[in-house]
Amino acid sequence: MFIKQIIIQGFKSYKEQTVIEPFSPKHNVIVGRNGSGKSNFFAAIRFVLSDAYTQMGREERQALLHEGSGSAVMSAYVEIIFDNSDERFPTGKDEVILRRTIGLKKDEYSLDRKNATKADVMNLLESAGFSRSNPYYIVPQGRVTTLTNMKDAERLNLLKEVAGTRVYESRRTESLKIMTETNNKRAKIDELLDYIKERLGELEEEKEELRSYQDKDKERRCLEYTIYHREQVEIGNALDNIDEQRQTGVDDTDDSRERFINGERDIARVDAEINELKQQLNFLKVDKSQLEDERKEKAKIRAKVELEVKGLSDGQSAVQQARTRYEHELQSVQGALRNREEDLLQLMPEYNAKREQEVAMKAQLDDAEAVRQRLYAKQGRNAQFRSKRERDDWLRQEMDDSYESLAKIKAVRMQTTEEVAELEKEGKRLEAEVDDLRRKFDSRGDGKQDMDRQVEIARVERDRLMDQRKELWREEAKLDSVISSAQKELDYAERMLSHTMDQNTSRGIAAVRRIKRQLNLDGVYGTLAELIEVTERYRTAVEVTAGNSLFHYVVDTDETATKVLEILQRDKLGRVTFMPLNRLRPKPGNIPNSNDAMPMLQKIQYDDRYEKALQQVFGKTIICPNLAIAAQYARSHGVNAITPDGDRSDNKGALTGGFHDPRHSRLEAMRNVSKWRGEYEAQRSRGSEIKRNLERLDQEITRAVGELQKAEQKRQQLDNSYGPLRLELKGKIDALQKTKDILKAKQRAKENIEANVKALTDQQSAHEAELSSEFKKALSNQEEAQLENLSSTVQDLRRQYSELSVSRSELEGQKSMLEVELRENLRPRLDQLKAQEFDNGEGNAGGNLKESQRELKRISQAIATVEKKLQETDDAIEQANAQVAELEQRNAETRRQQEDIAKSIERHQRRMEKSMQKKAALTKQAAECSRNIRDLGVLPEEAFGRFEKTNSNAIVKRLHKVNESLKKYSHVNKKAFEQYNNFTKQRDTLEQRREELDSSQTSIEELIGVLDQRKDEAIERTFKQVSREFADIFEKLVPAGRGRLIIQRKTDRVQGDDDDSEDERRESVENYTGVGISVSFNSKHDEQQRIQQLSGGQKSLCALALVFAIQQCDPAPFYLFDEIDANLDAQYRTAVANMLNSISDSSENGQFICTTFRPEMLL
């Protein structure tokens, strides 16, 4: 172990932090001029390691702090870092850091950067080898001079200190002090024994006279005991009678009080029923007022509708006659229309057949005529052309012209065909539109009825929704009153509940509920009282057991509790105790299995997830029928036992009980709060629901009114659309007829075009055939015969065609007449009649009798419904009034009974007070009798039965005689026997104590002898060792000289030669008077000189030799020398430096730190 580093700051001349390193584990020399800080460096190490700087005053502390220019230094510290690789310090670390910090008011040590006490530091240094008995491992300036000037006696004391005799002397001093105290105690004991022996002699004479007195006194005490005992028995009987009467009175009072409480509950229940009935009456009266207003309003509407119905009924006959004429004419026109349509249908097949025959006949006639014309043309061409070539050229020219004409005609045919198709399509479209318009026109009555029905449905829906809204308005008005009443009841219940707890808890519980709603915390379940249900029989027992735990808040986890607590503490919202279920670890109780001990948890209803909380509070509690059984189970099973009335015996033996007013029940208060809170929340929810329904109904009514308006608008549009519909139908019919006429013309043109095409095609074929035939001047015989036949055929066909044309013309005329009549006469008339029906209906829409009658019927039904409700409301009001009267009568009867019970209880209370006063007086008398009996002292056995059968008067007379006899012994010492016994015991105790003191003194004397012997041995051993080391070291420092230590004794004669003094034995070191030093610097055989005869430098060298000798006897981990060479010349400084190097090199654990300003020390 050695010093590695030293850090100094603020200490004396070291203001700034100064680090001194590295240090050699062997010899270190610090050199500097005067004033360079060598001594302050030395003082810094002493400041930490030695006792030189202890118990300093303020000025001494200030002297250690740096004083100079600049800011003042308020504290200083010195830190020494040791190398502990050899584990000399028992810290288990390779390095030990020791620091001491000092200020004007503080002085602190730290070990390895941790605060430590001075005692810890000194013990650690002692364990490392820094011995307090050998302070010479640190040699400051002046210590060598002190040793030089030290007297022989002082040098002996130094040797004793090195030898460690301080411990022996301390223990010897303590032993002598104890022995002195023992002698003083022995003297006092001897003095007391002399007094006790003298007093015992006097008491022997008083014992005989006292024995006679005691016989008389014993008889007196027996008599007095008999009197007092009899009086005590009489008082006990009287107290038992009072207790019996009191118990009977208590039972009667309890019964009366229970009946009174039940009566209060009945009154409260009846009052609640009366308030509820009165509230219902108010609601019924409001409903009645609203219904009467509604009936008046509907009566006005019914009167108005009745007037409208009467007016419509008066004009109904004229309208009916016009309706009859209209319907007759309509039927006539419809019949004629049907007949004409049937005739047209019958005529059309025959007309179409004739038409087809005519067309076919016309085609045959045209074909025959064309063939005949071609034969005539051919006959003419044969004469026209001279050769076949001319004929063929002409034919080809004709064929080309025919092709061109045929192409044009075919194009016209194609165009005509397309136009015919378009016209047919247009005709079909117009026919469909006409049919559709006719259907609309014919179904206008049904459409109007549908629209009327839709309007009526919309009106009924609107009225239904408005009725629902009225009902909701009524319910909302009622609900406002109910909510207000529930709010008042809830406030009252919360006030009553708050009276059962302190204000902070009440505020805290309310705040927790509010935080739960705001943060939507599902894990906040509620107070324990809210989570349990208890029957009225065990409610008091549960409340007494739980106490304030009823208001502890049960939560799921401690995280939830922490979250709520942070808000409570931050906003200062009150105080709440939480019960996190995840942290509860209830221990099961030793519940007895018996019929007269029921676990309290069996009488509590709760959710299983709260079982831990219930086990924590009620798990170790049982319910017993009475307090005696409860106390027995509490002692035997270590549980808390309680009766249903709340009398409790806990597992520690304490009994508690008394009257518990059930009217101030915490559970009942919490139940009322929960009940009214639930009622309030339910009514508020219903109110919110009604508001939502009203908003929904408002929207639905708005929608229904919109639908009604839309339906009425549609009906109005339908009514206004029949005029344009007639015009549109007429226009469509005209357009259809025009289209048909155009179609017919196009069809005839198409037929003519087809005929032309056929003629040109036949002509083309004939030209082609003629082109391929031979050229002849005349027709062939076959062509001649054909021409002849065709002439007759053409004539027949013309005749037939003429006949068919006539027949077809007749039929076409009939058809045209029918169509014209239908188109121009019958159908317009029918449309006119139907339009007239619509106009008549439209004109009477506002005064429709049926609609008015339906409205009248609806209003009548509504009035009937209102009157029915009014009747029901009147019946309900009458029934509620009857119930209120009955309940008030019952309440009055109950109040009279309550008054009687209260008077009975008051009488019982007065009787009880009188009984209690009498009991107090008797108890006082009983206490006085007991006190008198106790004053009699210890009674003989015969006192309890000697005068048991003696008359009380005889006992009184005998007691009087005994008291007269006792007057003669007034001078007798009544405590002679007691004093004699006490003094005897004291004598025995003192004699035993004296023997113990004698034994203790012998032991102390033996211990002093042993200590003196050990001290002598230690001094002699240390002297021999130091003397030997001194001689060796002096010889090393002064090789030519010789030195030794001389022990001086009282018996020694003053002699010049003390060669054999160190070998002389003495029986005690008390004969030692000093230690002298005898040296020779010139020769080992010259006469030696005492230290007083030496020069200053020689004295210093001798002192250093003594220091080195002491250090060799008691080695230290390191040595600190401050300018020990100050008084030495160069020769001896060199010798000391060589000595230090030699010692440091030969020692395993010896580090030397020296300060000097001489160069010789640097060898």
Side-chain angles (χ1 to χ4, degrees):
M1 183 195 76
F2 61 91
I3 295 176
K4 291 173 59 177
Q5 186 184 73
I6 298 176
I7 302 173
I8 308 173
Q9 180 175 339
F11 186 83
K12 290 193 173 181
S13 61
Y14 296 92
K15 179 179 181 182
E16 304 297 333
Q17 187 183 70
T18 303
V19 180
I20 299 97
E21 63 175 353
F23 285 91
S24 170
K26 299 300 182 180
H27 188 200
N28 301 271
V29 179
I30 299 174
V31 181
R33 296 179 179 178
N34 288 332
S36 60
K38 299 189 300 300
S39 297
N40 290 340
F41 169 76
F42 186 89
I45 300 177
R46 294 182 64 203
F47 172 69
V48 178
L49 301 180
S50 72
D51 294 334
Y53 297 94
T54 57
Q55 298 179 352
M56 294 180 292
R58 181 180 180 87
E59 294 180 355
E60 293 173 322
R61 292 172 184 267
Q62 183 67 45
L64 295 179
L65 300 179
H66 176 80
E67 294 181 356
S69 60
S71 59
V73 176
M74 303 306 295
S75 65
Y77 72 86
V78 178
E79 180 175 286
I80 302 177
I81 301 176
F82 295 93
D83 181 280
N84 192 36
S85 56
D86 57 354
E87 296 185 355
R88 192 158 184 170
F89 283 115
T91 60
K93 298 180 181 179
D94 294 336
E95 189 176 81
V96 175
I97 302 173
L98 183 61
R99 173 187 284 198
R100 183 180 181 184
T101 305
I102 192 168
L104 294 179
K105 294 183 179 180
K106 68 177 180 177
D107 188 0
E108 299 174 347
Y109 284 88
S110 67
L111 184 62
D112 289 338
R113 311 297 186 190
K114 296 180 182 179
N115 289 337
T117 62
K118 181 179 179 181
D120 294 337
V121 173
M122 293 303 153
N123 291 334
L124 182 66
L125 294 175
E126 287 278 354
S127 66
F130 295 94
S131 175
R132 293 186 182 182
S133 62
N134 181 12
Y136 287 95
Y137 65 92
I138 298 177
V139 181
Q141 287 185 17
R143 178 67 61 85
V144 174
T145 304
T146 303
L147 287 173
T148 301
N149 299 326
M150 190 176 288
K151 298 179 181 180
D152 293 344
E154 293 175 348
R155 204 174 288 114
L156 176 62
N157 291 332
L158 173 62
L159 191 65
K160 290 180 179 179
E161 186 177 355
V162 173
T165 59
R166 185 185 298 175
V167 177
Y168 299 113
E169 291 177 354
S170 175
R171 294 184 63 184
R172 189 177 188 279
T173 302
E174 291 178 359
S175 300
L176 290 174
K177 182 179 179 181
I178 293 172
M179 190 166 64
T180 302
E181 293 176 354
T182 301
N183 291 331
N184 293 333
K185 290 179 181 178
R186 288 173 61 190
K188 290 182 180 179
I189 289 172
D190 292 339
E191 184 179 353
L192 285 173
L193 284 175
D194 294 340
Y195 171 75
I196 289 171
K197 289 177 181 179
E198 181 182 358
R199 185 62 180 149
L200 286 174
E202 295 175 356
L203 290 173
E204 283 288 346
E205 298 176 357
E206 296 177 356
K207 284 198 308 182
E208 293 299 328
E209 188 177 9
L210 179 61
R211 190 172 286 110
S212 299
Y213 170 78
Q214 286 179 343
D215 293 337
K216 292 292 183 181
D217 184 68
K218 180 171 66 175
E219 183 179 2
R220 176 187 66 79
R221 288 187 292 124
C222 290
L223 291 170
E224 288 183 353
Y225 170 77
T226 303
I227 294 172
Y228 293 146
H229 178 67
R230 289 181 180 180
E231 185 179 359
Q232 195 176 37
V233 170
E234 291 177 358
I235 293 173
N237 293 332
L239 287 173
D240 291 340
N241 292 332
I242 291 174
D243 289 337
E244 183 177 358
Q245 293 176 1
R246 178 179 176 277
Q247 185 62 39
T248 303
V250 168
D251 295 338
D252 294 340
T253 302
D254 290 342
D255 294 339
S256 299
R257 185 177 287 108
E258 185 175 358
R259 286 189 290 112
F260 185 82
I261 292 172
N262 293 331
E264 291 290 330
R265 291 175 179 170
D266 291 340
I267 291 173
R269 186 174 61 255
V270 170
D271 287 338
E273 292 179 2
I274 290 174
N275 292 332
E276 185 176 356
L277 286 173
K278 288 182 177 180
Q279 190 175 18
Q280 291 179 1
L281 276 173
N282 293 331
F283 294 158
L284 291 171
K285 289 177 181 179
V286 172
D287 288 345
K288 181 178 179 181
S289 175
Q290 292 177 350
L291 289 172
E292 286 178 348
D293 294 339
E294 185 176 357
R295 182 178 63 178
K296 291 178 181 179
E297 182 180 356
K298 291 188 179 299
K300 292 179 181 178
I301 296 174
R302 183 174 65 177
K304 181 179 179 181
V305 174
E306 285 177 348
L307 290 176
E308 291 180 356
V309 170
K310 186 175 182 303
L312 291 172
S313 299
D314 293 340
Q316 184 68 23
S317 58
V319 173
Q320 189 65 33
Q321 292 176 2
R323 170 70 65 178
T324 302
R325 289 194 301 272
Y326 165 77
E327 290 178 353
H328 177 71
E329 185 176 359
L330 181 61
Q331 291 176 359
S332 176
V333 172
Q334 289 176 345
L337 183 62
R338 284 194 298 271
N339 292 333
R340 298 298 183 273
E341 288 177 348
E342 290 175 358
D343 292 343
L344 184 60
L345 289 174
Q346 292 176 359
L347 182 62
M348 285 304 294
E350 184 179 359
Y351 168 75
N352 291 332
K354 291 295 184 181
R355 174 67 179 166
E356 291 176 358
Q357 289 176 4
E358 182 183 10
V359 170
M361 187 59 68
K362 182 69 169 58
Q364 290 178 6
L365 179 60
D366 291 339
D367 290 341
E369 188 66 30
V371 171
R372 191 177 68 166
Q373 290 297 329
R374 283 195 300 273
L375 288 174
Y376 281 138
K378 183 177 179 182
Q379 185 178 10
R381 283 193 300 275
N382 289 335
Q384 181 180 356
F385 301 106
R386 292 187 299 271
S387 63
K388 183 177 184 300
R389 181 178 180 182
E390 290 181 358
R391 186 200 67 179
D392 291 342
D393 292 337
W394 184 83
L395 286 174
R396 289 187 182 93
Q397 182 64 38
E398 287 295 324
M399 287 175 65
D400 293 336
D401 295 340
S402 297
Y403 280 139
E404 185 178 354
S405 298
L406 184 60
K408 292 180 179 179
I409 292 173
K410 284 182 177 181
V412 173
R413 184 185 66 180
M414 184 179 297
Q415 182 178 0
T416 304
T417 302
E418 292 176 357
E419 290 177 354
V420 168
E422 290 179 359
L423 288 172
E424 287 178 350
K425 183 179 179 181
E426 180 68 17
K428 290 179 181 179
R429 184 183 66 78
L430 290 173
E431 286 179 353
E433 290 180 356
V434 169
D435 292 340
D436 184 58
L437 289 173
R438 285 189 183 279
R439 281 194 301 272
K440 288 183 180 178
F441 199 78
D442 293 339
S443 63
R444 65 190 182 280
D446 296 336
K448 187 172 185 306
Q449 290 178 358
D450 291 340
M451 293 307 302
D452 291 340
R453 189 162 49 253
Q454 291 179 10
V455 170
E456 183 64 23
I457 290 172
R459 184 178 289 111
V460 170
E461 178 67 13
R462 181 201 62 184
D463 294 341
R464 182 184 68 80
L465 292 174
M466 293 181 72
D467 291 339
Q468 289 183 2
R469 185 169 65 177
K470 290 179 182 178
E471 291 295 330
L472 287 178
W473 280 344
R474 292 193 189 100
E475 187 176 357
E476 186 180 26
K478 295 178 184 178
L479 201 60
D480 290 340
S481 177
V482 172
I483 291 175
S484 177
S485 177
Q487 178 69 47
K488 292 179 181 178
E489 293 291 341
L490 177 60
D491 293 341
Y492 176 74
E494 288 180 343
R495 285 197 303 272
M496 296 304 294
L497 178 62
S498 65
H499 292 163
T500 63
M501 67 181 84
D502 59 275
Q503 185 178 3
N504 285 334
T505 303
S506 177
R507 290 174 55 242
I509 291 175
V512 171
R513 291 197 183 100
R514 187 165 59 253
I515 293 169
K516 176 184 178 181
R517 289 195 301 270
Q518 292 174 354
L519 301 182
N520 194 20
L521 297 176
D522 296 331
V524 180
Y525 300 126
T527 60
L528 197 64
E530 294 174 301
L531 303 178
I532 62 175
E533 288 289 338
V534 185
T535 59
E536 187 176 355
R537 167 68 176 162
Y538 301 104
R539 186 179 296 159
T540 301
V542 170
E543 288 185 10
V544 172
T545 300
N548 290 329
S549 297
L550 286 173
F551 304 120
H552 290 180
Y553 231 98
V554 180
V555 296
D556 54 355
T557 62
D558 52 348
E559 294 180 359
T560 303
T562 302
K563 186 184 298 183
V564 178
L565 273 175
E566 288 176 353
I567 300 175
L568 289 177
Q569 294 175 355
R570 182 191 65 199
D571 300 337
K572 298 180 180 179
L573 299 177
R575 182 182 67 251
V576 175
T577 301
F578 288 96
M579 300 180 72
L581 296 178
N582 68 323
R583 291 292 185 179
L584 294 180
R585 301 290 186 273
K587 296 181 180 179
N590 185 18
I591 304 299
N593 186 11
S594 177
N595 295 329
D596 55 357
M598 297 176 294
M600 180 169 284
L601 284 176
Q602 293 183 0
K603 301 302 178 182
I604 301 175
Q605 299 177 5
Y606 57 91
D607 195 324
D608 291 340
R609 59 178 170 173
Y610 312 131
E611 185 170 2
K612 286 186 178 180
L614 273 295
Q615 285 284 354
Q616 183 74 20
V617 178
F618 305 106
K620 296 183 180 179
T621 303
I622 60 174
I623 300 176
C624 300
N626 54 59
L627 189 59
I629 297 175
Q632 180 180 354
Y633 279 118
R635 289 191 300 270
S636 61
H637 289 74
V639 296
N640 296 325
I642 194 169
T643 66
D645 296 329
D647 298 331
R648 182 180 180 185
S649 176
D650 60 21
N651 52 13
K652 296 180 181 178
L655 300 177
T656 57
F659 174 69
H660 299 277
D661 193 348
R663 292 176 296 177
H664 300 138
S665 170
R666 290 179 169 183
L667 287 175
E668 182 67 18
M670 183 62 74
R671 190 181 67 82
N672 289 334
V673 169
S674 300
K675 169 189 171 184
W676 287 111
R677 182 179 291 111
E679 178 71 17
Y680 176 70
E681 295 295 337
Q683 297 300 337
R684 285 193 61 185
S685 299
R686 177 57 184 162
S688 300
E689 182 181 358
I690 288 175
K691 289 182 179 179
R692 290 194 298 270
N693 291 336
L694 282 173
E695 292 175 357
R696 179 181 56 79
L697 280 175
D698 289 338
Q699 296 174 357
E700 291 182 358
I701 288 172
T702 302
R703 180 184 54 78
V705 170
E707 293 293 334
L708 177 61
Q709 292 175 353
K710 288 180 182 179
E712 290 178 346
Q713 289 176 0
K714 287 182 180 180
R715 184 173 66 177
Q716 186 66 28
Q717 291 175 359
L718 182 63
D719 293 342
N720 296 332
S721 66
Y722 285 117
L725 185 63
R726 287 198 306 271
L727 297 176
E728 184 180 2
L729 178 60
K730 187 174 181 305
K732 293 294 182 183
I733 292 173
D734 293 341
L736 178 61
Q737 186 61 39
K738 184 177 180 181
T739 302
K740 286 181 178 180
D741 293 342
I742 296 172
L743 180 60
K744 288 179 181 180
K746 291 292 183 180
Q747 287 176 345
R748 285 194 294 271
K750 182 180 178 182
E751 291 174 357
N752 293 332
I753 292 170
E754 291 289 343
N756 291 332
V757 170
K758 188 175 184 303
L760 288 173
T761 304
D762 291 342
Q763 183 179 359
Q764 192 75 14
S765 299
H767 286 166
E768 289 178 355
E770 185 178 357
L771 185 63
S772 62
S773 65
E774 296 180 356
F775 180 75
K776 294 180 178 180
K777 291 294 187 177
L779 296 174
S780 64
N781 293 330
Q782 185 179 359
E783 288 176 345
E784 289 289 343
Q786 183 181 4
L787 181 60
E788 186 177 356
N789 289 332
L790 285 172
S791 296
S792 60
T793 300
V794 166
Q795 290 178 0
D796 291 338
L797 290 173
R798 283 180 179 171
R799 181 180 54 78
Q800 292 176 5
Y801 176 72
S802 177
E803 291 175 356
L804 287 172
S805 295
V806 171
S807 299
R808 190 268 305 164
S809 298
E810 290 178 355
L811 290 174
E812 187 174 2
Q814 293 177 6
K815 180 177 79 68
S816 297
M817 290 177 62
L818 290 172
E819 288 177 349
V820 169
E821 186 175 4
L822 286 172
R823 184 175 66 252
E824 301 294 338
N825 185 11
L826 294 177
R827 284 199 178 99
R829 181 56 182 164
L830 181 61
D831 293 340
Q832 183 180 2
L833 289 174
K834 288 183 178 180
Q836 182 179 355
E837 178 188 9
F838 173 73
D839 293 339
N840 291 335
E842 186 180 16
N844 296 327
N848 191 296
L849 180 61
K850 291 182 179 180
E851 184 177 352
S852 298
Q853 288 175 346
R854 285 197 301 269
E855 181 69 15
L856 180 61
K857 182 179 179 181
R858 187 182 64 81
I859 293 296
S860 299
Q861 290 176 352
I863 291 175
T865 302
V866 172
E867 289 178 348
K868 182 180 179 181
K869 290 182 180 179
L870 270 173
Q871 184 61 39
E872 292 175 353
T873 303
D874 289 336
D875 295 341
I877 290 173
E878 184 177 355
Q879 183 179 1
N881 285 326
Q883 291 178 354
V884 168
E886 181 182 356
L887 290 173
E888 287 179 346
Q889 184 178 359
R890 189 199 308 173
N891 212 352
E893 181 65 25
T894 305
R895 291 184 186 280
R896 285 194 295 273
Q897 293 176 1
Q898 290 293 96
E899 291 177 359
D900 295 340
I901 293 172
K903 291 179 180 178
S904 175
I905 292 174
E906 187 177 357
R907 288 194 298 271
H908 278 295
Q909 290 291 342
R910 287 198 295 269
R911 286 198 296 269
M912 292 292 290
E913 290 175 0
K914 291 180 180 179
S915 298
M916 293 303 295
Q917 292 175 358
K918 184 176 180 181
K919 181 179 179 180
L922 291 173
T923 303
K924 185 177 180 181
Q925 293 179 9
E928 186 176 357
C929 289
S930 299
R931 185 172 61 255
N932 292 332
I933 291 173
R934 286 194 302 271
D935 292 342
L936 294 175
V938 180
L939 297 171
E941 187 67 26
E942 63 182 9
F944 302 103
R946 179 179 177 183
F947 302 105
E948 183 177 359
K949 297 181 180 179
T950 305
N951 189 2
S952 298
N953 293 328
I955 291 174
V956 173
K957 291 179 181 178
R958 189 166 180 174
L959 177 62
H960 179 70
K961 291 180 181 179
V962 171
N963 287 330
E964 291 294 330
S965 299
L966 286 172
K967 291 180 179 179
K968 296 184 297 181
Y969 299 97
S970 58
H971 64 284
V972 175
N973 183 7
K974 307 298 189 299
K975 297 182 179 181
F977 285 110
E978 183 180 354
Q979 290 176 355
Y980 185 83
N981 292 331
N982 290 336
F983 280 122
T984 303
K985 290 179 181 179
Q986 290 181 11
R987 182 191 62 190
D988 296 339
T989 302
L990 290 173
E991 289 177 350
Q992 182 180 0
R993 179 61 178 159
R994 193 177 190 285
E995 293 176 357
E996 293 176 355
L997 291 175
D998 292 341
S999 175
S1000 176
Q1001 184 176 7
T1002 303
S1003 299
I1004 292 171
E1005 290 175 350
E1006 293 176 354
L1007 176 61
I1008 291 173
V1010 171
L1011 292 175
D1012 289 341
Q1013 181 181 356
R1014 290 181 180 177
K1015 184 177 70 171
D1016 294 345
E1017 292 175 354
I1019 291 173
E1020 290 177 356
R1021 182 174 59 252
T1022 303
F1023 174 75
K1024 290 178 180 180
Q1025 188 175 0
V1026 172
S1027 178
R1028 184 175 60 253
E1029 295 293 337
F1030 178 82
D1032 293 341
I1033 291 171
F1034 188 83
E1035 185 176 355
K1036 291 178 181 180
L1037 293 174
V1038 186
R1042 177 171 176 260
R1044 60 176 177 162
L1045 296 180
I1046 301 172
I1047 192 75
Q1048 296 177 354
R1049 299 177 178 87
K1050 296 178 181 177
T1051 57
D1052 291 342
R1053 294 185 300 272
V1054 181
Q1055 299 176 355
D1057 186 4
D1058 296 325
D1059 293 340
D1060 298 330
S1061 63
E1062 62 179 355
D1063 296 328
E1064 296 179 359
R1065 302 287 298 177
R1066 296 290 184 267
E1067 294 180 358
S1068 175
V1069 295
E1070 296 299 327
N1071 292 326
Y1072 298 159
T1073 60
V1075 175
I1077 299 176
S1078 177
V1079 296
S1080 173
F1081 283 86
N1082 298 321
S1083 173
K1084 296 183 181 293
H1085 304 287
D1086 291 343
E1087 182 180 359
Q1088 294 183 348
Q1089 296 176 334
R1090 293 295 183 97
I1091 192 171
Q1092 291 83 359
Q1093 301 170 348
L1094 301 177
S1095 65
Q1098 291 175 338
K1099 290 180 180 179
S1100 297
L1101 187 63
C1102 293
L1104 285 175
L1106 180 60
V1107 170
F1108 290 147
I1110 293 172
Q1111 290 174 349
Q1112 290 298 316
C1113 294
D1114 188 7
F1118 78 95
Y1119 303 96
L1120 182 63
F1121 297 150
D1122 185 13
E1123 297 184 3
I1124 59 174
D1125 59 342
N1127 297 326
L1128 301 179
D1129 54 18
Q1131 175 186 356
Y1132 294 131
R1133 281 197 292 272
T1134 303
V1136 170
N1138 291 329
M1139 172 65 69
L1140 292 177
N1141 288 326
S1142 174
I1143 295 174
S1144 63
D1145 291 338
S1146 63
S1147 177
E1148 295 181 357
N1149 294 310
Q1151 182 186 32
F1152 288 87
I1153 300 175
C1154 304
T1155 62
T1156 183
F1157 50 86
R1158 306 289 185 181
E1160 289 82 5
M1161 293 293 290
L1162 299 176
L1163 293 178

